[in-house]
Amino acid sequence: MRWVSASLLAGKIALLAALYWAGGELARGMALPPGYSSSIWPAAGIALAFLLRFGKRHWPGILLGSMLVNVDIGAPWYVGACIGIGASLQALLGHKLANGERHEHMCAFKANTLQSEILRVALLGGLVSCCVSSIWGTSTLCMARLVPWADWPVQMLTWWVGDALGVVLFAPISLILTDALRKKAPVV
């Protein structure tokens, strides 16, 4: 039975990687040249919602998905991996801040607390935790000489705004959708 649990975990990690990659691909059209910072990054919200819903042990999916997006843009694999570490740390911090004193993950996104949960996820998960990836990622790009240091402030601010908007818009939608799907799913 242990292999079943490991297989389910691996499947969810792969699903999160695919969802992160898809969210990143969705945002690529809005990215600043050379394509690393976007005015909205849905993948940040999807990643946070996934960790809030299913638990923080799925963070490797963020690392893999982010790495795939960045390598697809043209970054070397080690730069993609570094940016993926920043994206993972951001989601883990957002998970910690948005959960506060609650359990490992949100068991239900209940309608009677919807406004307070959305506010908590948006403010703490979005505005605060998104500083991590924007600073980490932009610094990584500058150190790798893919972006000039002179562009650091604009790239970092764009990255932060994109991630924050991604969390504010896509995390609540993702949480509501997963809650609705969970209610419709047949019990096996």
Side-chain angles (χ1 to χ4, degrees):
M1 290 309 222
R2 194 177 275 185
W3 65 272
V4 172
S5 178
S7 296
L8 288 173
L9 178 62
K12 284 183 180 178
I13 288 171
L15 174 62
L16 177 53
L19 290 170
Y20 194 98
W21 175 82
E25 288 297 307
L26 182 66
R28 280 180 64 181
M30 297 174 278
L32 288 178
Y36 297 105
S37 303
S38 177
S39 57
I40 186 166
W41 192 253
I46 293 167
L48 178 58
F50 200 96
L51 295 190
L52 289 170
R53 179 63 68 217
F54 299 109
K56 62 185 177 184
R57 66 185 178 172
H58 299 94
W59 69 265
I62 301 165
L63 175 68
L64 293 172
S66 178
M67 188 172 163
L68 287 171
V69 170
N70 286 289
V71 168
D72 200 25
I73 291 170
W77 69 269
Y78 54 88
V79 172
C82 237
I83 292 171
I85 290 168
S88 300
L89 291 172
Q90 171 180 297
L92 287 166
L93 177 61
H95 174 274
K96 177 83 172 160
L97 293 173
N99 264 338
E101 297 296 318
R102 288 190 297 276
H103 303 289
E104 164 65 17
H105 54 83
M106 289 184 196
C107 295
F109 201 73
K110 297 183 174 144
N112 63 350
T113 62
L114 186 60
Q115 291 83 7
S116 64
E117 294 298 336
I118 288 175
L119 188 60
R120 183 181 200 111
V121 167
L123 291 178
L124 298 176
L127 302 180
V128 174
S129 72
C130 290
C131 293
V132 172
S133 186
S134 62
I135 292 169
W136 183 288
T138 305
S139 298
T140 298
L141 292 173
C142 290
M143 285 187 277
R145 297 184 181 173
L146 295 172
V147 170
W149 281 102
D151 292 348
W152 190 92
V154 171
Q155 289 283 337
M156 190 280 303
L157 183 60
T158 303
W159 194 312
W160 176 78
V161 168
D163 279 8
L165 285 175
V167 168
V168 168
L169 297 174
F170 286 87
I173 292 169
S174 299
L175 288 168
I176 291 167
L177 285 175
T178 57
D179 202 42
L181 290 173
R182 185 180 284 186
K183 288 177 184 173
K184 288 184 178 183
V187 178
V188 179

